Amino acid sequence: MKKILTLFLLIFAVFNANSQNFKEVKTGQDVIDNYIIASGGKDALNDIESIRMKGKIGEGSESGSLEIYFSKNYVYMDIAMKEFTMKQAIDVKKKKGWTKFGDMIKDMTEEEIKKNTKNMDGSMWGNYVNPKEHGITYLLLQNETIDSTEYYTVDLLKDSMTVSTAYFDMKTFNKVKEIKAGMTSNFSDFRKVTDSDVIMPYKISSQTGDVTITKITFNSDFDTKLLKRPKDKKEDDSKNEEK
């Protein structure tokens, strides 16, 4: 389950760029500046207060569905696959949250909620648009060649420790690959999100499988009924016994 959660944290970290007139690259900051400019600019990215994503996991008859919503107030995930189902909901302000994996339901601790929301917030352009707020600095590494194509490689550092390593297309500054928390993710099928100038990858591949995004919506309303904690199977069984 940890790898699956990490996968969806990474989903929020993969926004990319349009081709534009970029500055000459001499430092890691130059790469990130180009990435932000091409993504629509700092103001445009800061205007995005919530993200809703729908899609599928896997291919063919074995594929499953997913829905993710994230804002500064709420986090919600609904993953349904043949092998398992998982839901997670967090009310950030009330510091309440739960995870349902199959029939098992677990209340999240305050520390778990804090960690999850912090990771999500940092992924939602925060590590790029507001690096000082998140304690992030950049280190430009030697260019790396992947499948005969050369890419800019940048380490994101916090307290001198590598948080993640990102790989950017040298022409478009799309983020095509990222290594974070021991997981490598590759991004492709870059498209402009409807009713916005922001481009995102609609295909994410990693060790946990392939995710194909079918719809992305910015700044949509959230149904707070989804935050209601489902009843534990044991609770239902106990009530039936009492009857």
Side-chain angles (χ1 to χ4, degrees):
M1 186 174 73
K2 184 177 179 182
K3 286 187 176 181
I4 294 169
L5 291 175
T6 302
L7 171 63
F8 294 106
L9 289 175
L10 287 169
I11 289 178
F12 292 107
V14 297
F15 303 98
N16 67 81
N18 280 314
S19 294
Q20 292 189 26
N21 293 321
F22 300 115
K23 66 195 296 186
E24 182 182 0
V25 171
K26 295 182 179 179
T27 67
Q29 184 68 62
D30 292 334
V31 176
I32 302 307
D33 287 346
N34 287 340
Y35 171 63
I36 292 172
I37 291 170
S39 296
K42 185 175 182 179
D43 291 341
L45 300 183
N46 279 331
D47 283 343
I48 297 175
E49 297 181 351
S50 71
I51 301 173
R52 184 188 303 277
M53 306 175 75
K54 293 183 179 182
K56 66 176 184 177
I57 310 171
E59 301 290 342
S61 60
E62 298 299 317
S63 66
S65 63
L66 70 90
E67 180 174 356
I68 301 171
Y69 181 94
F70 175 71
S71 72
K72 291 184 178 180
N73 297 321
Y74 309 111
V75 176
Y76 179 76
M77 276 185 220
D78 186 350
I79 303 167
M81 298 188 70
K82 186 176 181 180
E83 298 85 357
F84 69 89
T85 60
M86 190 198 82
K87 290 185 178 182
Q88 184 180 84
I90 300 174
D91 187 324
V92 179
K93 288 186 176 180
K94 293 183 179 180
K95 298 180 180 179
K96 291 184 178 181
W98 51 266
T99 298
K100 184 175 186 290
F101 194 78
D103 291 329
M104 296 190 309
I105 302 171
K106 178 180 178 296
D107 290 318
M108 299 178 71
T109 65
E110 187 172 330
E111 184 61 31
E112 288 172 332
I113 292 171
K114 183 179 179 181
K115 182 178 180 180
N116 273 271
T117 54
K118 185 176 181 181
N119 284 336
M120 287 285 195
D121 188 41
S123 296
M124 191 172 161
W125 291 299
N127 286 340
Y128 300 100
V129 177
N130 301 304
K132 289 184 179 179
E133 180 182 332
H134 297 276
I136 297 294
T137 57
Y138 311 113
L139 176 64
L140 182 63
L141 306 177
Q142 182 176 346
N143 294 347
E144 184 160 329
T145 300
I146 304 172
D147 295 331
S148 301
T149 302
E150 194 173 12
Y151 295 94
Y152 289 121
T153 307
V154 179
D155 263 0
L156 276 68
L157 307 174
K158 184 172 183 177
D159 299 327
S160 300
M161 299 291 290
T162 300
V163 174
S164 63
T165 302
Y167 301 77
F168 299 88
D169 187 289
M170 298 183 77
K171 293 181 179 179
T172 66
F173 286 86
N174 292 337
K175 187 194 297 183
V176 298
K177 178 180 175 181
E178 184 171 59
I179 300 175
K180 184 176 182 180
M183 178 175 287
T184 300
S185 295
N186 296 283
F187 315 114
S188 57
D189 191 13
F190 299 101
R191 304 185 214 164
K192 182 179 289 189
V193 176
T194 304
D195 297 326
S196 82
D197 290 325
V198 177
I199 291 178
M200 292 179 63
Y202 279 63
K203 182 83 177 214
I204 301 122
S205 301
S206 70
Q207 295 97 312
T208 59
D210 295 337
V211 173
T212 301
I213 305 300
T214 56
K215 186 176 182 180
I216 301 173
T217 308
F218 296 141
N219 300 337
S220 62
D221 293 331
F222 178 72
D223 184 358
T224 55
K225 293 179 181 178
L226 295 172
L227 297 173
K228 185 177 180 181
R229 184 187 187 278
K231 292 182 179 180
D232 193 302
K233 187 174 183 298
K234 291 182 180 179
E235 294 178 56
D236 288 334
D237 292 343
S238 177
K239 288 184 178 180
N240 290 332
E241 289 176 4
E242 291 176 4
K243 292 179 181 180

